[in-house]
Amino acid sequence: MQESFSIGDLGRLTGCQVVTIRYYEKIGILAEPGRSSGGHRIYGPEHRDRLTFVRKARELGFSLDTVRSLLSLSETPEGTPCADVDRIASRHLVEVREKIAALKSLEGTLEGLLDICSHTTVEQCRVLDALRD
Amino acid sequence: MQESFSIGDLGRLTGCQVVTIRYYEKIGILAEPGRSSGGHRIYGPEHRDRLTFVRKARELGFSLDTVRSLLSLSETPEGTPCADVDRIASRHLVEVREKIAALKSLEGTLEGLLDICSHTTVEQCRVLDALRD
DNA sequence: ATACGACCTATAGCAACTATAGGTTCAAGC
DNA sequence: GCTTGAACCTATAGTTGCTATAGGTCGTAT
Protein backbone atom coordinates (compact mmCIF):
# COMPACT_ATOMS: atom_id res chain seq x y z
CA MET A 1 0.00 0.00 0.00
CA GLN A 2 1.65 3.16 -1.17
CA GLU A 3 0.13 6.09 0.64
CA SER A 4 0.69 9.45 -0.92
CA PHE A 5 -0.76 12.82 -0.15
CA SER A 6 -1.03 16.20 -1.74
CA ILE A 7 -0.04 19.21 0.34
CA GLY A 8 -3.72 19.88 0.96
CA ASP A 9 -4.26 16.32 2.21
CA LEU A 10 -1.28 16.66 4.50
CA GLY A 11 -2.63 19.91 5.86
CA ARG A 12 -5.98 18.28 6.62
CA LEU A 13 -4.33 15.25 8.24
CA THR A 14 -2.12 17.31 10.53
CA GLY A 15 -4.21 20.39 11.11
CA CYS A 16 -1.55 22.52 9.51
CA GLN A 17 -2.04 25.21 6.94
CA VAL A 18 -0.69 24.61 3.46
CA VAL A 19 1.39 27.77 3.52
CA THR A 20 2.88 26.69 6.81
CA ILE A 21 3.92 23.34 5.38
CA ARG A 22 5.75 25.10 2.56
CA TYR A 23 7.28 27.43 5.14
CA TYR A 24 8.53 24.46 7.18
CA GLU A 25 10.10 23.02 4.06
CA LYS A 26 11.79 26.30 3.29
CA ILE A 27 13.36 26.59 6.75
CA GLY A 28 14.43 22.95 6.74
CA ILE A 29 12.00 21.55 9.30
CA LEU A 30 10.47 19.26 6.69
CA ALA A 31 12.40 17.52 3.91
CA GLU A 32 11.60 18.39 0.32
CA PRO A 33 9.11 15.81 -0.90
CA GLY A 34 8.86 14.29 -4.35
CA ARG A 35 6.99 16.07 -7.10
CA SER A 36 4.39 15.11 -9.66
CA SER A 37 5.21 15.58 -13.32
CA GLY A 38 3.47 18.93 -13.07
CA GLY A 39 5.47 20.06 -10.06
CA HIS A 40 2.99 19.41 -7.25
CA ARG A 41 4.45 18.15 -3.98
CA ILE A 42 3.78 14.49 -3.17
CA TYR A 43 4.11 13.41 0.44
CA GLY A 44 4.35 10.00 2.09
CA PRO A 45 3.65 8.69 5.61
CA GLU A 46 7.08 9.73 6.83
CA HIS A 47 6.28 13.36 6.05
CA ARG A 48 2.92 13.05 7.75
CA ASP A 49 4.50 11.61 10.88
CA ARG A 50 7.20 14.21 11.02
CA LEU A 51 4.74 17.05 10.54
CA THR A 52 2.46 15.59 13.22
CA PHE A 53 5.44 15.60 15.56
CA VAL A 54 6.22 19.21 14.70
CA ARG A 55 2.64 20.35 15.19
CA LYS A 56 2.28 18.62 18.54
CA ALA A 57 5.53 20.08 19.75
CA ARG A 58 4.39 23.54 18.64
CA GLU A 59 1.10 23.04 20.48
CA LEU A 60 3.15 22.31 23.59
CA GLY A 61 4.76 25.69 23.06
CA PHE A 62 8.22 24.60 21.93
CA SER A 63 9.98 27.01 19.59
CA LEU A 64 10.79 25.86 16.09
CA ASP A 65 14.43 25.81 17.05
CA THR A 66 13.68 23.52 19.96
CA VAL A 67 11.48 21.41 17.69
CA ARG A 68 14.54 20.90 15.51
CA SER A 69 16.44 19.56 18.53
CA LEU A 70 13.57 17.31 19.56
CA LEU A 71 13.32 15.95 16.03
CA SER A 72 16.96 15.06 15.88
CA LEU A 73 16.82 13.51 19.35
CA SER A 74 13.85 11.40 18.33
CA GLU A 75 15.82 10.12 15.35
CA THR A 76 18.77 9.15 17.46
CA PRO A 77 19.75 5.43 17.49
CA GLU A 78 17.84 3.17 19.86
CA GLY A 79 19.30 2.98 23.31
CA THR A 80 20.27 6.64 23.46
CA PRO A 81 19.18 7.98 26.84
CA CYS A 82 16.46 10.59 26.73
CA ALA A 83 18.05 12.84 29.33
CA ASP A 84 18.35 15.65 26.76
CA VAL A 85 14.66 15.43 25.96
CA ASP A 86 13.88 15.64 29.64
CA ARG A 87 16.14 18.60 30.08
CA ILE A 88 14.50 20.46 27.20
CA ALA A 89 11.00 19.71 28.43
CA SER A 90 11.85 20.63 32.03
CA ARG A 91 13.36 23.89 30.97
CA HIS A 92 10.30 24.64 28.92
CA LEU A 93 8.10 23.88 31.90
CA VAL A 94 10.08 26.40 33.94
CA GLU A 95 9.52 29.02 31.26
CA VAL A 96 5.82 28.27 31.09
CA ARG A 97 5.58 28.71 34.86
CA GLU A 98 7.45 31.99 34.65
CA LYS A 99 5.04 33.25 32.03
CA ILE A 100 2.08 32.21 34.18
CA ALA A 101 3.55 34.08 37.16
CA ALA A 102 4.11 37.23 35.08
CA LEU A 103 0.59 37.12 33.68
CA LYS A 104 -0.93 36.56 37.10
CA SER A 105 0.82 39.59 38.44
CA LEU A 106 -0.48 41.54 35.47
CA GLU A 107 -3.96 40.19 36.09
CA GLY A 108 -3.81 41.46 39.67
CA THR A 109 -2.71 44.91 38.57
CA LEU A 110 -5.47 45.20 35.98
CA GLU A 111 -8.08 43.95 38.42
CA GLY A 112 -6.95 46.57 40.91
CA LEU A 113 -7.19 49.36 38.37
CA LEU A 114 -10.62 48.31 37.14
CA ASP A 115 -11.90 47.90 40.71
CA ILE A 116 -11.13 51.41 41.74
CA CYS A 117 -12.15 53.05 38.49
CA SER A 118 -15.68 54.11 39.23
CA HIS A 119 -16.52 54.68 35.59
CA THR A 120 -16.42 58.40 35.69
CA THR A 121 -14.72 60.76 33.25
CA VAL A 122 -11.37 60.60 31.52
CA GLU A 123 -9.69 63.10 33.80
CA GLN A 124 -10.62 61.08 36.88
CA CYS A 125 -10.18 57.65 35.35
CA ARG A 126 -8.01 55.44 37.53
CA VAL A 127 -6.81 53.39 34.63
CA LEU A 128 -5.54 56.44 32.78
CA ASP A 129 -4.14 57.80 36.04
CA ALA A 130 -2.03 54.72 36.46
CA LEU A 131 -0.57 55.26 33.01
CA ARG A 132 0.00 58.97 33.50
CA ASP A 133 2.12 58.40 36.61
CA MET B 1 12.17 76.72 33.45
CA GLN B 2 12.63 75.23 30.04
CA GLU B 3 13.28 71.57 30.35
CA SER B 4 14.76 69.91 27.36
CA PHE B 5 16.19 66.47 26.83
CA SER B 6 18.30 64.64 24.33
CA ILE B 7 17.02 61.30 23.10
CA GLY B 8 19.45 59.61 25.47
CA ASP B 9 18.12 61.62 28.43
CA LEU B 10 14.58 60.70 27.47
CA GLY B 11 15.52 57.05 27.31
CA ARG B 12 17.04 57.19 30.77
CA LEU B 13 14.02 59.04 32.18
CA THR B 14 11.49 56.58 30.80
CA GLY B 15 13.42 53.33 30.78
CA CYS B 16 13.08 53.15 27.04
CA GLN B 17 15.80 52.37 24.56
CA VAL B 18 16.89 55.10 22.19
CA VAL B 19 16.17 53.00 19.11
CA THR B 20 12.71 52.31 20.46
CA ILE B 21 12.02 56.03 20.86
CA ARG B 22 12.95 56.62 17.24
CA TYR B 23 10.78 53.65 16.29
CA TYR B 24 7.81 55.13 18.15
CA GLU B 25 8.31 58.37 16.29
CA LYS B 26 8.44 56.55 12.98
CA ILE B 27 5.17 54.74 13.58
CA GLY B 28 3.45 57.86 14.86
CA ILE B 29 3.19 57.00 18.55
CA LEU B 30 5.39 59.96 19.46
CA ALA B 31 5.34 63.33 17.70
CA GLU B 32 8.45 64.49 15.90
CA PRO B 33 10.34 66.71 18.33
CA GLY B 34 12.36 69.82 17.53
CA ARG B 35 15.94 69.53 16.38
CA SER B 36 19.22 71.16 17.29
CA SER B 37 21.11 73.02 14.57
CA GLY B 38 23.06 69.84 13.98
CA GLY B 39 19.96 67.69 13.65
CA HIS B 40 19.79 66.07 17.09
CA ARG B 41 16.30 65.55 18.53
CA ILE B 42 15.31 67.87 21.39
CA TYR B 43 12.46 66.75 23.63
CA GLY B 44 10.32 68.58 26.18
CA PRO B 45 8.24 67.47 29.17
CA GLU B 46 5.24 66.70 26.97
CA HIS B 47 7.26 64.08 25.11
CA ARG B 48 8.51 62.64 28.35
CA ASP B 49 4.99 62.35 29.73
CA ARG B 50 3.64 60.76 26.59
CA LEU B 51 6.46 58.27 26.43
CA THR B 52 5.99 57.41 30.10
CA PHE B 53 2.34 56.71 29.34
CA VAL B 54 3.28 54.50 26.42
CA ARG B 55 5.84 52.54 28.41
CA LYS B 56 3.47 51.94 31.32
CA ALA B 57 0.73 50.80 29.00
CA ARG B 58 3.16 48.42 27.29
CA GLU B 59 4.20 47.06 30.68
CA LEU B 60 0.53 46.32 31.30
CA GLY B 61 0.62 44.31 28.10
CA PHE B 62 -1.44 46.58 25.84
CA SER B 63 -0.57 46.36 22.15
CA LEU B 64 0.83 49.45 20.46
CA ASP B 65 -2.42 49.77 18.58
CA THR B 66 -4.37 49.77 21.82
CA VAL B 67 -1.86 52.22 23.27
CA ARG B 68 -2.78 54.54 20.42
CA SER B 69 -6.44 54.31 21.44
CA LEU B 70 -5.64 54.88 25.09
CA LEU B 71 -3.53 57.91 24.20
CA SER B 72 -6.28 59.50 22.19
CA LEU B 73 -8.83 58.75 24.90
CA SER B 74 -6.59 60.34 27.50
CA GLU B 75 -6.40 63.48 25.36
CA THR B 76 -10.15 63.71 25.04
CA PRO B 77 -11.81 66.88 26.44
CA GLU B 78 -12.56 66.92 30.15
CA GLY B 79 -15.88 65.43 31.06
CA THR B 80 -15.73 62.65 28.52
CA PRO B 81 -16.79 59.45 30.21
CA CYS B 82 -14.10 56.84 30.53
CA ALA B 83 -16.31 53.93 29.56
CA ASP B 84 -14.15 53.22 26.51
CA VAL B 85 -11.04 53.03 28.65
CA ASP B 86 -12.81 50.61 30.95
CA ARG B 87 -13.93 48.51 28.04
CA ILE B 88 -10.43 48.30 26.62
CA ALA B 89 -8.91 47.42 29.98
CA SER B 90 -11.62 44.85 30.75
CA ARG B 91 -11.19 43.19 27.42
CA HIS B 92 -7.46 43.07 27.97
CA LEU B 93 -8.03 41.49 31.38
CA VAL B 94 -10.14 38.82 29.72
CA GLU B 95 -7.34 38.10 27.25
CA VAL B 96 -4.78 37.92 30.03
CA ARG B 97 -6.96 35.43 31.87
CA GLU B 98 -7.36 33.37 28.73
CA LYS B 99 -3.61 33.25 28.30
CA ILE B 100 -3.18 32.19 31.90
CA ALA B 101 -5.71 29.40 31.44
CA ALA B 102 -4.01 28.18 28.26
CA LEU B 103 -0.59 28.21 29.90
CA LYS B 104 -1.89 26.38 32.97
CA SER B 105 -3.32 23.65 30.83
CA LEU B 106 0.02 23.43 29.05
CA GLU B 107 1.79 23.30 32.41
CA GLY B 108 -0.37 20.35 33.41
CA THR B 109 0.37 18.50 30.20
CA LEU B 110 4.11 19.02 30.52
CA GLU B 111 4.08 17.99 34.18
CA GLY B 112 2.24 14.82 33.24
CA LEU B 113 4.71 13.95 30.52
CA LEU B 114 7.72 14.58 32.69
CA ASP B 115 6.20 12.62 35.58
CA ILE B 116 5.73 9.46 33.60
CA CYS B 117 8.98 9.70 31.67
CA SER B 118 11.26 7.53 33.76
CA HIS B 119 14.39 8.86 32.10
CA THR B 120 15.06 5.89 29.96
CA THR B 121 15.99 5.79 26.29
CA VAL B 122 14.70 7.74 23.33
CA GLU B 123 12.53 4.92 22.01
CA GLN B 124 10.72 4.61 25.33
CA CYS B 125 10.66 8.29 26.19
CA ARG B 126 7.16 9.41 27.14
CA VAL B 127 7.77 12.96 26.05
CA LEU B 128 8.77 11.88 22.54
CA ASP B 129 5.90 9.38 22.54
CA ALA B 130 3.44 12.14 23.13
CA LEU B 131 4.79 13.98 20.13
CA ARG B 132 4.87 10.91 17.92
CA ASP B 133 1.19 10.21 18.51
C1' DA C 1 42.28 70.88 18.47
C1' DT C 2 41.02 66.57 19.18
C1' DA C 3 39.05 62.67 20.99
C1' DC C 4 35.18 60.06 21.95
C1' DG C 5 30.63 59.23 23.26
C1' DA C 6 26.22 60.28 21.71
C1' DC C 7 23.75 61.16 18.00
C1' DC C 8 22.09 60.67 12.87
C1' DT C 9 19.91 57.72 8.73
C1' DA C 10 18.82 53.60 6.39
C1' DT C 11 18.33 48.93 6.06
C1' DA C 12 18.02 44.20 7.55
C1' DG C 13 16.86 40.76 10.96
C1' DC C 14 14.12 38.20 14.66
C1' DA C 15 9.80 34.49 15.43
C1' DA C 16 6.44 32.11 13.19
C1' DC C 17 3.79 32.62 10.31
C1' DT C 18 -0.01 35.06 6.99
C1' DA C 19 -1.38 37.49 2.89
C1' DT C 20 -1.09 38.82 -1.84
C1' DA C 21 -0.35 38.52 -6.83
C1' DG C 22 -0.12 36.17 -10.83
C1' DG C 23 0.30 32.06 -12.95
C1' DT C 24 -0.11 26.45 -13.69
C1' DT C 25 -1.94 21.75 -12.83
C1' DC C 26 -5.21 18.32 -11.68
C1' DA C 27 -9.53 15.94 -11.55
C1' DA C 28 -14.33 15.73 -12.18
C1' DG C 29 -18.30 16.39 -15.05
C1' DC C 30 -20.23 16.74 -19.69
C1' DG D 1 -11.92 15.16 -25.41
C1' DC D 2 -12.81 19.46 -23.31
C1' DT D 3 -13.83 22.65 -19.98
C1' DT D 4 -14.13 24.46 -15.51
C1' DG D 5 -12.73 25.55 -11.11
C1' DA D 6 -10.44 24.16 -7.05
C1' DA D 7 -6.01 23.24 -5.67
C1' DC D 8 -1.56 23.85 -6.56
C1' DC D 9 2.91 26.62 -7.83
C1' DT D 10 6.55 30.67 -6.91
C1' DA D 11 8.00 34.95 -5.11
C1' DT D 12 7.52 38.73 -2.33
C1' DA D 13 5.73 41.66 1.29
C1' DG D 14 3.40 42.23 5.68
C1' DT D 15 2.52 41.21 10.70
C1' DT D 16 4.26 42.79 16.02
C1' DG D 17 7.55 45.21 18.58
C1' DC D 18 11.31 45.87 18.55
C1' DT D 19 16.89 44.96 17.94
C1' DA D 20 21.16 44.99 15.27
C1' DT D 21 24.29 46.68 11.90
C1' DA D 22 26.85 49.89 8.97
C1' DG D 23 28.67 54.07 8.05
C1' DG D 24 28.65 58.59 8.98
C1' DT D 25 28.00 63.41 11.93
C1' DC D 26 27.57 66.22 16.22
C1' DG D 27 28.58 67.96 20.76
C1' DT D 28 31.37 68.66 24.56
C1' DA D 29 35.19 68.04 27.70
C1' DT D 30 39.99 68.42 27.89
Side-chain angles (χ1 to χ4, degrees), chain A residues 80 86 97 111 119 122-123, chain B residues 79-80 86 97 111 119 122:
Chain A
T80 306
D86 270 38
R97 285 178 175 152
E111 279 168 348
H119 316 290
V122 288
E123 72 271 18
Chain B
T80 306
D86 269 39
R97 285 178 175 152
E111 279 168 348
H119 316 290
V122 287

Side-chain angles (χ1 to χ4, degrees), chain B residues 85-105:
Chain B
V85 176
D86 269 39
R87 201 178 34 71
I88 289 172
S90 305
R91 201 187 130 77
H92 183 50
L93 179 53
V94 168
E95 287 167 6
V96 168
R97 285 178 175 152
E98 283 168 0
K99 266 187 206 155
I100 291 172
L103 284 172
K104 276 194 173 171
S105 145

